[in-house]
Amino acid sequence: MEPIRIFYFSDVLCIWAYIAHIRLDELKTTFQDQIAIESHFVSVFGTAHEKLENGWRDRGGLQGYSNHIQEVASKFDHITVHPDIWAKVTPHSSTSCHLFLHAIQLLEVKGLVEQSQQVFEKAAWAFREAFFTQLADISDRKVQFGIAEELRLPIAAIQAQIDSGEAYAQLSKDFELVKEHTVTVSPTLIFNEGRQRLNGNVSYRVIEANIRELLNHPAGEQSWC
C-alpha cells in the first residue's frame, strides 16, 4: 500500500504551529513509512507588523498580542515562550524565513547533506525555538545564517539555492498550493487528495484517528459510512 500523502502547511511564526510540532514528530514515530508528510508554508505572518498593528489596535496592540500568546502557551507543558514575545521584537515577515528554510530543504533534495540528518526539520524547529524562546528576529538574514551555522550547515550552499532562484521556485509552489487548497490557517493538514483537512489547533488523537481511518478504508473502497 502506498503511504498516505499529507500536505502540512504552517507559518514559522505561528504559535499553533510551534505547539503542533511535537504532534508531527509523534505521527512520524507512530506511522513511519505508512505516511508521507510534505511540508509547505502559508504566510499568515507575511506582513507581521501590519497584521498585528491592525488586528490588535483595539486590544492592546503588540503587548496585547504578547499577552495572548503567553496565555495560549501556558496551557501546554511542552513549550515555553519568552515573556516579551512579540512585544519587544516583531519580525517583519515570515516569508523571509520560509525562503531560507526552502533553501535548506533543497540541500536534502540534492543530496548535499545526509537525508538521515533531517536538517530541514531541525532547522524549522530551531527557527521557531529561536523566536519564541530567545526573541531572535528570524526574519533577518544575518540571524538565519547564524542559526544555520549553529546547525553546522553549509552556508555557501544555502546561499547558492537562494541566488539561483530555486528556493524562490519552491516558495512559489507553496503559494500555488495554498491557493489551490484555499489554505488560510496555520497549521493545516490536508489528506486524501484534498478531500479531508484539519485546521488549527487539532489534538494528536484527532489527527491519528483520521490517518487510521484512511489506512483501514483506502481511497476508492466502497462504504456506506
Side-chain angles (χ1 to χ4, degrees):
M1 180 179 175
E2 290 293 318
I4 293 173
R5 190 181 184 194
I6 302 172
F7 284 173
Y8 180 74
F9 294 87
S10 69
D11 188 301
V12 73
L13 292 175
C14 172
I15 183 64
W16 297 112
Y18 180 45
I19 290 167
H21 197 100
I22 193 173
R23 296 169 188 158
L24 284 189
D25 290 342
E26 186 65 21
L27 288 176
K28 292 170 185 175
T29 299
T30 300
F31 294 101
Q32 300 183 29
D33 59 356
Q34 292 179 296
I35 61 174
I37 299 176
E38 294 185 18
S39 294
H40 299 282
F41 295 112
V42 51
S43 292
V44 174
F45 291 91
T47 55
H49 273 278
E50 181 178 344
K51 174 185 177 69
L52 296 180
E53 287 173 359
N54 291 340
W56 285 80
R57 180 176 291 123
D58 300 326
R59 293 180 285 173
L62 291 175
Q63 186 58 59
Y65 187 64
S66 175
N67 296 341
H68 166 67
I69 294 300
Q70 292 176 61
E71 181 180 355
V72 167
S74 69
K75 300 174 183 178
F76 299 90
D77 295 334
H78 70 284
I79 62 163
T80 58
V81 299
H82 195 284
D84 294 319
I85 190 69
W86 285 109
K88 286 192 174 181
V89 175
T90 309
H92 286 283
S93 176
S94 59
T95 306
S96 170
C97 311
H98 298 163
L99 176 69
F100 196 87
L101 287 169
H102 268 309
I104 293 175
Q105 190 176 44
L106 283 167
L107 301 184
E108 288 185 330
V109 173
K110 295 182 175 184
L112 299 176
V113 294
E114 290 290 336
Q115 288 192 350
S116 61
Q117 295 179 6
Q118 299 180 319
V119 296
F120 172 73
E121 293 181 17
K122 290 179 180 177
W125 175 251
F127 269 56
R128 290 188 166 105
E129 197 168 38
F131 173 62
F132 283 105
T133 68
Q134 303 166 30
L135 293 188
D137 184 357
I138 58 174
S139 67
D140 188 299
R141 186 56 50 82
K142 294 189 295 296
V143 173
Q144 294 167 5
F145 276 124
I147 294 173
E149 287 176 352
E150 290 177 4
L151 295 173
R152 298 184 178 180
L153 297 178
I155 302 303
I158 294 172
Q159 185 64 58
Q161 311 313 309
I162 297 172
D163 291 345
S164 69
E166 290 181 88
Y168 286 97
Q170 293 301 309
L171 188 62
S172 180
K173 181 181 178 181
D174 284 350
F175 294 155
E176 292 172 1
L177 286 172
V178 163
K179 183 177 180 180
E180 177 184 345
H181 295 287
T182 60
V183 177
T184 59
V185 175
S186 170
T188 292
L189 295 97
I190 295 180
F191 312 78
N192 200 10
E193 304 302 320
R195 289 184 287 273
Q196 293 173 247
R197 71 168 58 209
L198 296 173
N199 294 335
N201 182 39
V202 178
S203 73
Y204 173 79
R205 295 303 178 194
V206 171
I207 302 171
E208 181 187 33
N210 274 260
I211 294 174
R212 292 198 184 281
E213 178 67 19
L214 289 173
L215 288 172
N216 294 328
H217 302 283
E221 182 178 289
Q222 300 301 314
S223 173
W224 67 268
C225 59

